[in-house]
Amino acid sequence: MSVAQYLAARLALLAGLMTAAALPAHAHQASTAYLDMNWQGTEVNQRVDVALRDLDRDLVLDRNDDGQLSWGEVRQAWPEIEALLTRHVHWQATGARCEPVAAPQPQLAAHGDGQYVVVQTQWRCDAPVQAIQLHYDLFQQTDPDHRALLQVNGTDASNQARAITPGAEAIELVSAAAGSGAAASTGGLSWPALGDMVEQGVHHILIGTDHILFLLALLLPAVLSWRAATGRVDASTPPDRLRTVAVRVFKIVTAFTVAHSVTLALATFNIVSPPTRLVESIIALSIIVAAVSNLFRRGHVPGVAMAFCFGLMHGFGFANALGELALQQGQLAANLLAPNVGVESGQLMIVLGVMPLLWLVRRHATASRWVLQGGSVVIAVMGGVWLAERTLEIQILPV
Amino acid sequence: MAHGTRTRRHVVSSGVAAVLLGCSVATYAALAKPYTPADDGQVVERLPAPVIAGESRQAERRQRAALRATPSDPALALQAAYQALERMRLSGDARELGQARQVLAPWWRAAQLPPAVRLARAIVLQAGHDFEASLADLDALSTPQSAVPLALSAQATLTRASVLQVQGRWADARRVCDTLNGPAFAPLASRIAPQVAICLTELDSLQGQAPAAQRRLEQMAREAGPSATWLSLVRAELAHRQRDPRAGALYRQALDGRSDVYTLAAYADWLLEQKRPEQVVQLLADTRQADALRLRRCMALQRMNDPRAAAEIAALADTMDTNLARGDLSHAREMALFTLHLRPDPAAALSWAQRNWAVQREPIDAWLLLQAAEAAGQTAAAQPVVDFAQAQGWQDPRIEAARQARPSSKLAASAQPVRGGAQP
């Protein structure tokens, strides 16, 4: 078949190629190896990560041709892998002679686009290493797009690796601490700094305030019962004992926990996922209802039913806020457990912190009244602000 | 302190993204953690399955061996190059582009080379976003001349029109496409007529004649020829731009039988706009596909609050990091989408969208710049898109909306705080 015939036969196919930008540019990651060179004194450590896919192309690792690489197949080819890397990734230390300490053990590591072999080698040198002449020409003959991302002596100031194009010329590596050379950076985009991350973390703790206030609105009257707050103690009803109060608090917290665990699970597994705005609005409303009811209730200890009913909504709220965070574990059980453990321990800390304080306040009728009524008013106002923000999608409070 | 739902969700999601990206930067220094599988039988990697019908791994190896023996055989190299390009079109695998470049290596820097090899080189250059070099090769081929087979010249001309269209040079694209109706290509007229018609009609549909173009495309579809898939895609994209609900069915038609990255990504974008993330996750079930598709899948998972989102976003962030460190800047569109939706960083998203707009100007690139400008609270940054649409006679509902919002936008931009979210 001549070239022209071949192309003519392919014309229809090429028409498909030619829809605008039908060929995506660099859609996957192109072939990339990771090279880490570290040295200190007379010791040199090198780590090379090379994609199994690239090795399979040049060495045929998939011996049984089933399209899958087993660990056995990788181990069988290990001597060839080492030989390939020795041929194409090597170096000399300036002013020192170095010998490998031990043969590298077969290892793997996951990168964003698949599994890589990891070859870690250690050398001892007869003199302190000042600089290294690196030769890198891996896959130069088989993939012109191959690059190695080189890091020298850990991270340099810019925390950026340097991309190496395979070639015949030696690359002079100087320790970042020693000054120039190795600290070349590729520029590009600045990822969020550590400070930002800490700030985001603090944010994340603070945004739970609405759940804390709801719980507080329920705990206030559970400890500072209306009767205690008004000082109306008579002989027919003995004053609450610590144990009675503790049981009451326990019931409320348990009802809240059971309810929000159920909905958190439902949301995490995507069985139910009500609209966020509705959930957040009802959560704000629940705070108002709980707080306002503290102002009007007479002699009745509220809580368990309210904790349960609204707790269901708060569970969806947790899912919104925590669901995504929990997934770093990448495992199903952990996805559910991790956020819940976080929520429960946070909750326990609040209960254990607040309850003794309220118990102390309880001794003084006036203080009790002020804390119960004043606290409830403050909480209700906060709930109102949130309700307005969430239903109207406006921002009242500063971030 | 708690605040509005949108902002609150943004804080959480940007917190997640910051943590994930922070991790990826941190692991970047330390690399991924090495491990040793316990058992020899454990499958540690899946190699990509052959995506072209009738291809096999063995055949691919034989081809590679043959090329090693005779690397300068143009017929062998061309076949390998086109197969690699086709695999890249279907799977989006950038390694295939490396393979195509590899087999063309003997001619890569040549000034004199067989016309067919020059065409393949032009297509590889285009796929690597080296549009100017690609156009130089295509220019050399598209003037009919005795040394270049006419079919090849026609092919080069069509490819040239599509590169010009990607660059937003619609008038040039139309002129180039029109030359195929000229006398020089008359011997091929009946064979290339459908492609030429699609090329011109798509340009019509962009330049203010959408309804007529739509009717013409429907007519062509009834006569369905060898370009039926391409036709369905052009119609789907037109319907998508017109916000016509039939876009979904047309995309499915374009995907019928075989799916390529471009069409899958466009369909996924449409589904995301239709608030149907579940279908996106279904459509893009493979988590190891092209970045462009992983990106859409992550956006869908995130909108569903799906437990898998964080891990997949982290893996994608790792790939993005690598691309950046490699200095591959042809990912600007993906970087803009990533920083707009998955790692909400409106300022970075705007800068990537601008960088992308400087290189490619398809409708999606225009919308991306509009969205990024709005998310960054810099509505003036969308001006180039508005000017472009006006100059080209492009009528698009979204750009129209942006244009109408503009007169008051300058005031609004100074009065309002920068909108924190990158909500779609």
PDB file of all heavy atoms in Angstrom, chain A residues 37-45 91-99 123-133 152-153 173-175 178:
ATOM      1  N   MET A  37      17.998  13.220  44.270  1.00  0.00           N
ATOM      2  CA  MET A  37      19.419  13.038  44.591  1.00  0.00           C
ATOM      3  C   MET A  37      19.699  13.758  45.913  1.00  0.00           C
ATOM      4  O   MET A  37      19.445  14.962  46.025  1.00  0.00           O
ATOM      5  CB  MET A  37      20.308  13.660  43.515  1.00  0.00           C
ATOM      6  CG  MET A  37      20.243  13.023  42.131  1.00  0.00           C
ATOM      7  SD  MET A  37      20.940  11.364  42.025  1.00  0.00           S
ATOM      8  CE  MET A  37      22.623  11.647  42.533  1.00  0.00           C
ATOM      9  N   ASN A  38      20.211  13.014  46.868  1.00  0.00           N
ATOM     10  CA  ASN A  38      20.546  13.622  48.156  1.00  0.00           C
ATOM     11  C   ASN A  38      21.948  13.220  48.560  1.00  0.00           C
ATOM     12  O   ASN A  38      22.320  12.058  48.428  1.00  0.00           O
ATOM     13  CB  ASN A  38      19.585  13.119  49.235  1.00  0.00           C
ATOM     14  CG  ASN A  38      18.179  13.589  48.978  1.00  0.00           C
ATOM     15  OD1 ASN A  38      17.892  14.782  49.057  1.00  0.00           O
ATOM     16  ND2 ASN A  38      17.302  12.663  48.636  1.00  0.00           N
ATOM     17  N   TRP A  39      22.694  14.159  49.034  1.00  0.00           N
ATOM     18  CA  TRP A  39      24.006  13.789  49.559  1.00  0.00           C
ATOM     19  C   TRP A  39      24.371  14.680  50.722  1.00  0.00           C
ATOM     20  O   TRP A  39      23.953  15.830  50.823  1.00  0.00           O
ATOM     21  CB  TRP A  39      25.063  13.820  48.486  1.00  0.00           C
ATOM     22  CG  TRP A  39      25.382  15.174  47.921  1.00  0.00           C
ATOM     23  CD1 TRP A  39      26.310  16.043  48.372  1.00  0.00           C
ATOM     24  CD2 TRP A  39      24.763  15.793  46.796  1.00  0.00           C
ATOM     25  NE1 TRP A  39      26.313  17.171  47.603  1.00  0.00           N
ATOM     26  CE2 TRP A  39      25.377  17.054  46.623  1.00  0.00           C
ATOM     27  CE3 TRP A  39      23.746  15.410  45.914  1.00  0.00           C
ATOM     28  CZ2 TRP A  39      25.010  17.932  45.609  1.00  0.00           C
ATOM     29  CZ3 TRP A  39      23.391  16.285  44.908  1.00  0.00           C
ATOM     30  CH2 TRP A  39      24.020  17.529  44.766  1.00  0.00           C
ATOM     31  N   GLN A  40      25.138  14.048  51.607  1.00  0.00           N
ATOM     32  CA  GLN A  40      25.631  14.771  52.766  1.00  0.00           C
ATOM     33  C   GLN A  40      26.934  14.109  53.171  1.00  0.00           C
ATOM     34  O   GLN A  40      26.976  12.880  53.307  1.00  0.00           O
ATOM     35  CB  GLN A  40      24.611  14.678  53.897  1.00  0.00           C
ATOM     36  CG  GLN A  40      24.950  15.595  55.041  1.00  0.00           C
ATOM     37  CD  GLN A  40      23.711  15.887  55.890  1.00  0.00           C
ATOM     38  OE1 GLN A  40      22.890  15.000  56.081  1.00  0.00           O
ATOM     39  NE2 GLN A  40      23.605  17.091  56.411  1.00  0.00           N
ATOM     40  N   GLY A  41      27.971  14.886  53.310  1.00  0.00           N
ATOM     41  CA  GLY A  41      29.265  14.315  53.662  1.00  0.00           C
ATOM     42  C   GLY A  41      29.694  13.314  52.618  1.00  0.00           C
ATOM     43  O   GLY A  41      29.758  13.607  51.429  1.00  0.00           O
ATOM     44  N   THR A  42      29.906  12.061  53.079  1.00  0.00           N
ATOM     45  CA  THR A  42      30.398  11.034  52.161  1.00  0.00           C
ATOM     46  C   THR A  42      29.289  10.075  51.729  1.00  0.00           C
ATOM     47  O   THR A  42      29.558   9.039  51.149  1.00  0.00           O
ATOM     48  CB  THR A  42      31.521  10.220  52.831  1.00  0.00           C
ATOM     49  OG1 THR A  42      30.990   9.680  54.048  1.00  0.00           O
ATOM     50  CG2 THR A  42      32.731  11.088  53.138  1.00  0.00           C
ATOM     51  N   GLU A  43      28.045  10.425  52.023  1.00  0.00           N
ATOM     52  CA  GLU A  43      26.951   9.516  51.704  1.00  0.00           C
ATOM     53  C   GLU A  43      26.062  10.116  50.615  1.00  0.00           C
ATOM     54  O   GLU A  43      25.696  11.293  50.678  1.00  0.00           O
ATOM     55  CB  GLU A  43      26.120   9.265  52.967  1.00  0.00           C
ATOM     56  CG  GLU A  43      25.177   8.095  52.828  1.00  0.00           C
ATOM     57  CD  GLU A  43      24.394   7.876  54.117  1.00  0.00           C
ATOM     58  OE1 GLU A  43      25.027   7.606  55.165  1.00  0.00           O
ATOM     59  OE2 GLU A  43      23.165   8.000  54.071  1.00  0.00           O
ATOM     60  N   VAL A  44      25.736   9.300  49.619  1.00  0.00           N
ATOM     61  CA  VAL A  44      24.857   9.759  48.540  1.00  0.00           C
ATOM     62  C   VAL A  44      23.657   8.820  48.465  1.00  0.00           C
ATOM     63  O   VAL A  44      23.820   7.595  48.484  1.00  0.00           O
ATOM     64  CB  VAL A  44      25.596   9.763  47.182  1.00  0.00           C
ATOM     65  CG1 VAL A  44      24.643  10.207  46.067  1.00  0.00           C
ATOM     66  CG2 VAL A  44      26.812  10.664  47.238  1.00  0.00           C
ATOM     67  N   ASN A  45      22.454   9.387  48.413  1.00  0.00           N
ATOM     68  CA  ASN A  45      21.239   8.594  48.252  1.00  0.00           C
ATOM     69  C   ASN A  45      20.525   9.025  46.992  1.00  0.00           C
ATOM     70  O   ASN A  45      20.350  10.216  46.744  1.00  0.00           O
ATOM     71  CB  ASN A  45      20.303   8.790  49.442  1.00  0.00           C
ATOM     72  CG  ASN A  45      20.814   8.076  50.665  1.00  0.00           C
ATOM     73  OD1 ASN A  45      20.804   6.855  50.732  1.00  0.00           O
ATOM     74  ND2 ASN A  45      21.327   8.846  51.617  1.00  0.00           N
ATOM     75  N   TRP A  91      26.020   8.960  37.547  1.00  0.00           N
ATOM     76  CA  TRP A  91      26.627  10.225  37.977  1.00  0.00           C
ATOM     77  C   TRP A  91      28.024   9.994  38.498  1.00  0.00           C
ATOM     78  O   TRP A  91      28.407   8.871  38.813  1.00  0.00           O
ATOM     79  CB  TRP A  91      25.758  10.868  39.065  1.00  0.00           C
ATOM     80  CG  TRP A  91      25.451   9.943  40.211  1.00  0.00           C
ATOM     81  CD1 TRP A  91      24.371   9.124  40.312  1.00  0.00           C
ATOM     82  CD2 TRP A  91      26.234   9.722  41.385  1.00  0.00           C
ATOM     83  NE1 TRP A  91      24.414   8.403  41.466  1.00  0.00           N
ATOM     84  CE2 TRP A  91      25.539   8.752  42.152  1.00  0.00           C
ATOM     85  CE3 TRP A  91      27.429  10.231  41.880  1.00  0.00           C
ATOM     86  CZ2 TRP A  91      26.025   8.292  43.387  1.00  0.00           C
ATOM     87  CZ3 TRP A  91      27.907   9.777  43.103  1.00  0.00           C
ATOM     88  CH2 TRP A  91      27.199   8.814  43.835  1.00  0.00           C
ATOM     89  N   GLN A  92      28.803  11.075  38.574  1.00  0.00           N
ATOM     90  CA  GLN A  92      30.101  11.043  39.254  1.00  0.00           C
ATOM     91  C   GLN A  92      30.134  12.190  40.250  1.00  0.00           C
ATOM     92  O   GLN A  92      29.623  13.272  39.954  1.00  0.00           O
ATOM     93  CB  GLN A  92      31.247  11.276  38.261  1.00  0.00           C
ATOM     94  CG  GLN A  92      31.521  10.123  37.314  1.00  0.00           C
ATOM     95  CD  GLN A  92      30.924  10.404  35.948  1.00  0.00           C
ATOM     96  OE1 GLN A  92      30.963  11.526  35.470  1.00  0.00           O
ATOM     97  NE2 GLN A  92      30.364   9.380  35.319  1.00  0.00           N
ATOM     98  N   ALA A  93      30.730  11.893  41.398  1.00  0.00           N
ATOM     99  CA  ALA A  93      30.905  12.964  42.375  1.00  0.00           C
ATOM    100  C   ALA A  93      32.191  13.704  42.044  1.00  0.00           C
ATOM    101  O   ALA A  93      33.172  13.093  41.624  1.00  0.00           O
ATOM    102  CB  ALA A  93      30.974  12.389  43.771  1.00  0.00           C
ATOM    103  N   THR A  94      32.160  15.010  42.221  1.00  0.00           N
ATOM    104  CA  THR A  94      33.374  15.789  41.977  1.00  0.00           C
ATOM    105  C   THR A  94      34.335  15.566  43.136  1.00  0.00           C
ATOM    106  O   THR A  94      33.985  15.792  44.291  1.00  0.00           O
ATOM    107  CB  THR A  94      33.016  17.287  41.881  1.00  0.00           C
ATOM    108  OG1 THR A  94      31.867  17.410  41.049  1.00  0.00           O
ATOM    109  CG2 THR A  94      34.156  18.101  41.300  1.00  0.00           C
ATOM    110  N   GLY A  95      35.527  15.097  42.829  1.00  0.00           N
ATOM    111  CA  GLY A  95      36.561  14.937  43.845  1.00  0.00           C
ATOM    112  C   GLY A  95      36.343  13.780  44.799  1.00  0.00           C
ATOM    113  O   GLY A  95      36.915  13.754  45.879  1.00  0.00           O
ATOM    114  N   ALA A  96      35.520  12.819  44.457  1.00  0.00           N
ATOM    115  CA  ALA A  96      35.325  11.673  45.355  1.00  0.00           C
ATOM    116  C   ALA A  96      34.977  10.437  44.536  1.00  0.00           C
ATOM    117  O   ALA A  96      34.457  10.535  43.428  1.00  0.00           O
ATOM    118  CB  ALA A  96      34.218  11.964  46.360  1.00  0.00           C
ATOM    119  N   ARG A  97      35.338   9.287  45.081  1.00  0.00           N
ATOM    120  CA  ARG A  97      34.998   8.022  44.431  1.00  0.00           C
ATOM    121  C   ARG A  97      33.947   7.335  45.313  1.00  0.00           C
ATOM    122  O   ARG A  97      34.128   7.223  46.524  1.00  0.00           O
ATOM    123  CB  ARG A  97      36.236   7.157  44.302  1.00  0.00           C
ATOM    124  CG  ARG A  97      36.117   6.017  43.326  1.00  0.00           C
ATOM    125  CD  ARG A  97      37.332   5.126  43.410  1.00  0.00           C
ATOM    126  NE  ARG A  97      38.582   5.861  43.125  1.00  0.00           N
ATOM    127  CZ  ARG A  97      39.050   6.038  41.884  1.00  0.00           C
ATOM    128  NH1 ARG A  97      38.409   5.531  40.865  1.00  0.00           N
ATOM    129  NH2 ARG A  97      40.166   6.684  41.687  1.00  0.00           N
ATOM    130  N   CYS A  98      32.859   6.860  44.699  1.00  0.00           N
ATOM    131  CA  CYS A  98      31.753   6.324  45.503  1.00  0.00           C
ATOM    132  C   CYS A  98      31.440   4.887  45.100  1.00  0.00           C
ATOM    133  O   CYS A  98      31.560   4.513  43.929  1.00  0.00           O
ATOM    134  CB  CYS A  98      30.514   7.182  45.328  1.00  0.00           C
ATOM    135  SG  CYS A  98      30.814   8.939  45.621  1.00  0.00           S
ATOM    136  N   GLU A  99      31.054   4.080  46.086  1.00  0.00           N
ATOM    137  CA  GLU A  99      30.665   2.689  45.853  1.00  0.00           C
ATOM    138  C   GLU A  99      29.283   2.449  46.423  1.00  0.00           C
ATOM    139  O   GLU A  99      28.985   2.925  47.521  1.00  0.00           O
ATOM    140  CB  GLU A  99      31.652   1.747  46.577  1.00  0.00           C
ATOM    141  CG  GLU A  99      33.062   1.764  46.026  1.00  0.00           C
ATOM    142  CD  GLU A  99      33.135   1.165  44.629  1.00  0.00           C
ATOM    143  OE1 GLU A  99      32.267   0.317  44.301  1.00  0.00           O
ATOM    144  OE2 GLU A  99      34.033   1.569  43.860  1.00  0.00           O
ATOM    145  N   TRP A 123      25.168   5.193  48.357  1.00  0.00           N
ATOM    146  CA  TRP A 123      26.596   5.073  48.068  1.00  0.00           C
ATOM    147  C   TRP A 123      27.418   5.636  49.228  1.00  0.00           C
ATOM    148  O   TRP A 123      26.965   6.553  49.908  1.00  0.00           O
ATOM    149  CB  TRP A 123      26.970   5.860  46.815  1.00  0.00           C
ATOM    150  CG  TRP A 123      26.557   5.259  45.508  1.00  0.00           C
ATOM    151  CD1 TRP A 123      27.292   4.448  44.713  1.00  0.00           C
ATOM    152  CD2 TRP A 123      25.314   5.469  44.820  1.00  0.00           C
ATOM    153  NE1 TRP A 123      26.590   4.116  43.570  1.00  0.00           N
ATOM    154  CE2 TRP A 123      25.373   4.727  43.616  1.00  0.00           C
ATOM    155  CE3 TRP A 123      24.152   6.174  45.109  1.00  0.00           C
ATOM    156  CZ2 TRP A 123      24.318   4.687  42.701  1.00  0.00           C
ATOM    157  CZ3 TRP A 123      23.110   6.140  44.198  1.00  0.00           C
ATOM    158  CH2 TRP A 123      23.202   5.398  43.010  1.00  0.00           C
ATOM    159  N   ARG A 124      28.611   5.079  49.409  1.00  0.00           N
ATOM    160  CA  ARG A 124      29.602   5.656  50.331  1.00  0.00           C
ATOM    161  C   ARG A 124      30.758   6.167  49.497  1.00  0.00           C
ATOM    162  O   ARG A 124      31.177   5.493  48.553  1.00  0.00           O
ATOM    163  CB  ARG A 124      30.147   4.601  51.305  1.00  0.00           C
ATOM    164  CG  ARG A 124      29.194   4.205  52.370  1.00  0.00           C
ATOM    165  CD  ARG A 124      29.433   4.939  53.694  1.00  0.00           C
ATOM    166  NE  ARG A 124      28.197   4.895  54.484  1.00  0.00           N
ATOM    167  CZ  ARG A 124      27.693   3.752  54.982  1.00  0.00           C
ATOM    168  NH1 ARG A 124      28.324   2.603  54.795  1.00  0.00           N
ATOM    169  NH2 ARG A 124      26.575   3.779  55.658  1.00  0.00           N
ATOM    170  N   CYS A 125      31.265   7.312  49.856  1.00  0.00           N
ATOM    171  CA  CYS A 125      32.341   7.901  49.062  1.00  0.00           C
ATOM    172  C   CYS A 125      33.587   8.059  49.926  1.00  0.00           C
ATOM    173  O   CYS A 125      33.510   8.090  51.153  1.00  0.00           O
ATOM    174  CB  CYS A 125      31.914   9.251  48.508  1.00  0.00           C
ATOM    175  SG  CYS A 125      30.303   9.157  47.693  1.00  0.00           S
ATOM    176  N   ASP A 126      34.741   8.165  49.239  1.00  0.00           N
ATOM    177  CA  ASP A 126      36.001   8.235  50.001  1.00  0.00           C
ATOM    178  C   ASP A 126      36.333   9.671  50.397  1.00  0.00           C
ATOM    179  O   ASP A 126      37.342   9.918  51.053  1.00  0.00           O
ATOM    180  CB  ASP A 126      37.145   7.581  49.207  1.00  0.00           C
ATOM    181  CG  ASP A 126      37.351   8.247  47.860  1.00  0.00           C
ATOM    182  OD1 ASP A 126      36.660   9.257  47.586  1.00  0.00           O
ATOM    183  OD2 ASP A 126      38.194   7.755  47.079  1.00  0.00           O
ATOM    184  N   ALA A 127      35.514  10.603  49.998  1.00  0.00           N
ATOM    185  CA  ALA A 127      35.722  12.003  50.397  1.00  0.00           C
ATOM    186  C   ALA A 127      34.359  12.695  50.394  1.00  0.00           C
ATOM    187  O   ALA A 127      33.440  12.222  49.728  1.00  0.00           O
ATOM    188  CB  ALA A 127      36.673  12.680  49.421  1.00  0.00           C
ATOM    189  N   PRO A 128      34.223  13.780  51.125  1.00  0.00           N
ATOM    190  CA  PRO A 128      32.944  14.483  51.132  1.00  0.00           C
ATOM    191  C   PRO A 128      32.564  14.938  49.725  1.00  0.00           C
ATOM    192  O   PRO A 128      33.418  15.414  48.973  1.00  0.00           O
ATOM    193  CB  PRO A 128      33.192  15.686  52.044  1.00  0.00           C
ATOM    194  CG  PRO A 128      34.366  15.312  52.874  1.00  0.00           C
ATOM    195  CD  PRO A 128      35.215  14.405  52.033  1.00  0.00           C
ATOM    196  N   VAL A 129      31.304  14.773  49.371  1.00  0.00           N
ATOM    197  CA  VAL A 129      30.833  15.116  48.034  1.00  0.00           C
ATOM    198  C   VAL A 129      30.488  16.603  47.971  1.00  0.00           C
ATOM    199  O   VAL A 129      29.739  17.113  48.799  1.00  0.00           O
ATOM    200  CB  VAL A 129      29.593  14.262  47.675  1.00  0.00           C
ATOM    201  CG1 VAL A 129      29.028  14.693  46.333  1.00  0.00           C
ATOM    202  CG2 VAL A 129      29.954  12.788  47.663  1.00  0.00           C
ATOM    203  N   GLN A 130      31.081  17.291  47.007  1.00  0.00           N
ATOM    204  CA  GLN A 130      30.777  18.720  46.837  1.00  0.00           C
ATOM    205  C   GLN A 130      29.683  18.910  45.802  1.00  0.00           C
ATOM    206  O   GLN A 130      28.724  19.612  46.024  1.00  0.00           O
ATOM    207  CB  GLN A 130      32.041  19.473  46.376  1.00  0.00           C
ATOM    208  CG  GLN A 130      33.231  19.310  47.295  1.00  0.00           C
ATOM    209  CD  GLN A 130      32.956  19.819  48.694  1.00  0.00           C
ATOM    210  OE1 GLN A 130      32.187  20.751  48.874  1.00  0.00           O
ATOM    211  NE2 GLN A 130      33.574  19.214  49.696  1.00  0.00           N
ATOM    212  N   ALA A 131      29.901  18.258  44.660  1.00  0.00           N
ATOM    213  CA  ALA A 131      28.941  18.421  43.565  1.00  0.00           C
ATOM    214  C   ALA A 131      28.855  17.120  42.801  1.00  0.00           C
ATOM    215  O   ALA A 131      29.690  16.226  42.973  1.00  0.00           O
ATOM    216  CB  ALA A 131      29.395  19.547  42.642  1.00  0.00           C
ATOM    217  N   ILE A 132      27.817  17.006  41.966  1.00  0.00           N
ATOM    218  CA  ILE A 132      27.598  15.764  41.224  1.00  0.00           C
ATOM    219  C   ILE A 132      27.366  16.090  39.761  1.00  0.00           C
ATOM    220  O   ILE A 132      26.683  17.066  39.430  1.00  0.00           O
ATOM    221  CB  ILE A 132      26.396  15.006  41.849  1.00  0.00           C
ATOM    222  CG1 ILE A 132      26.880  14.213  43.069  1.00  0.00           C
ATOM    223  CG2 ILE A 132      25.719  14.105  40.836  1.00  0.00           C
ATOM    224  CD1 ILE A 132      25.812  13.465  43.794  1.00  0.00           C
ATOM    225  N   GLN A 133      27.997  15.284  38.902  1.00  0.00           N
ATOM    226  CA  GLN A 133      27.747  15.391  37.459  1.00  0.00           C
ATOM    227  C   GLN A 133      26.754  14.303  37.095  1.00  0.00           C
ATOM    228  O   GLN A 133      27.077  13.123  37.135  1.00  0.00           O
ATOM    229  CB  GLN A 133      29.053  15.153  36.682  1.00  0.00           C
ATOM    230  CG  GLN A 133      30.202  16.057  37.059  1.00  0.00           C
ATOM    231  CD  GLN A 133      29.953  17.471  36.604  1.00  0.00           C
ATOM    232  OE1 GLN A 133      29.406  17.698  35.526  1.00  0.00           O
ATOM    233  NE2 GLN A 133      30.328  18.441  37.433  1.00  0.00           N
ATOM    234  N   VAL A 152      16.927  17.974  44.285  1.00  0.00           N
ATOM    235  CA  VAL A 152      18.264  17.827  44.834  1.00  0.00           C
ATOM    236  C   VAL A 152      18.247  18.180  46.313  1.00  0.00           C
ATOM    237  O   VAL A 152      17.767  19.254  46.686  1.00  0.00           O
ATOM    238  CB  VAL A 152      19.252  18.733  44.076  1.00  0.00           C
ATOM    239  CG1 VAL A 152      20.634  18.636  44.702  1.00  0.00           C
ATOM    240  CG2 VAL A 152      19.311  18.313  42.623  1.00  0.00           C
ATOM    241  N   ASN A 153      18.766  17.275  47.111  1.00  0.00           N
ATOM    242  CA  ASN A 153      18.845  17.491  48.563  1.00  0.00           C
ATOM    243  C   ASN A 153      17.548  18.016  49.152  1.00  0.00           C
ATOM    244  O   ASN A 153      17.480  19.082  49.731  1.00  0.00           O
ATOM    245  CB  ASN A 153      19.999  18.426  48.893  1.00  0.00           C
ATOM    246  CG  ASN A 153      21.316  17.666  48.865  1.00  0.00           C
ATOM    247  OD1 ASN A 153      21.308  16.431  48.728  1.00  0.00           O
ATOM    248  ND2 ASN A 153      22.408  18.361  49.003  1.00  0.00           N
ATOM    249  N   LEU A 173      25.129  19.240  39.416  1.00  0.00           N
ATOM    250  CA  LEU A 173      24.244  19.434  40.560  1.00  0.00           C
ATOM    251  C   LEU A 173      25.058  19.959  41.727  1.00  0.00           C
ATOM    252  O   LEU A 173      26.079  19.394  42.091  1.00  0.00           O
ATOM    253  CB  LEU A 173      23.588  18.120  40.983  1.00  0.00           C
ATOM    254  CG  LEU A 173      22.844  17.325  39.910  1.00  0.00           C
ATOM    255  CD1 LEU A 173      22.207  16.105  40.547  1.00  0.00           C
ATOM    256  CD2 LEU A 173      21.781  18.190  39.252  1.00  0.00           C
ATOM    257  N   VAL A 174      24.580  21.037  42.293  1.00  0.00           N
ATOM    258  CA  VAL A 174      25.212  21.605  43.473  1.00  0.00           C
ATOM    259  C   VAL A 174      24.151  21.613  44.550  1.00  0.00           C
ATOM    260  O   VAL A 174      22.988  21.893  44.270  1.00  0.00           O
ATOM    261  CB  VAL A 174      25.707  23.040  43.192  1.00  0.00           C
ATOM    262  CG1 VAL A 174      26.429  23.597  44.397  1.00  0.00           C
ATOM    263  CG2 VAL A 174      26.603  23.049  41.977  1.00  0.00           C
ATOM    264  N   SER A 175      24.539  21.280  45.743  1.00  0.00           N
ATOM    265  CA  SER A 175      23.552  21.260  46.818  1.00  0.00           C
ATOM    266  C   SER A 175      22.898  22.623  46.955  1.00  0.00           C
ATOM    267  O   SER A 175      23.553  23.655  46.843  1.00  0.00           O
ATOM    268  CB  SER A 175      24.223  20.888  48.133  1.00  0.00           C
ATOM    269  OG  SER A 175      23.301  21.043  49.174  1.00  0.00           O
ATOM    270  N   ALA A 178      24.527  24.833  49.190  1.00  0.00           N
ATOM    271  CA  ALA A 178      25.792  25.407  48.721  1.00  0.00           C
ATOM    272  C   ALA A 178      25.562  26.590  47.801  1.00  0.00           C
ATOM    273  O   ALA A 178      26.481  27.322  47.519  1.00  0.00           O
ATOM    274  CB  ALA A 178      26.598  24.340  48.002  1.00  0.00           C
TER     275      ALA A 178
END
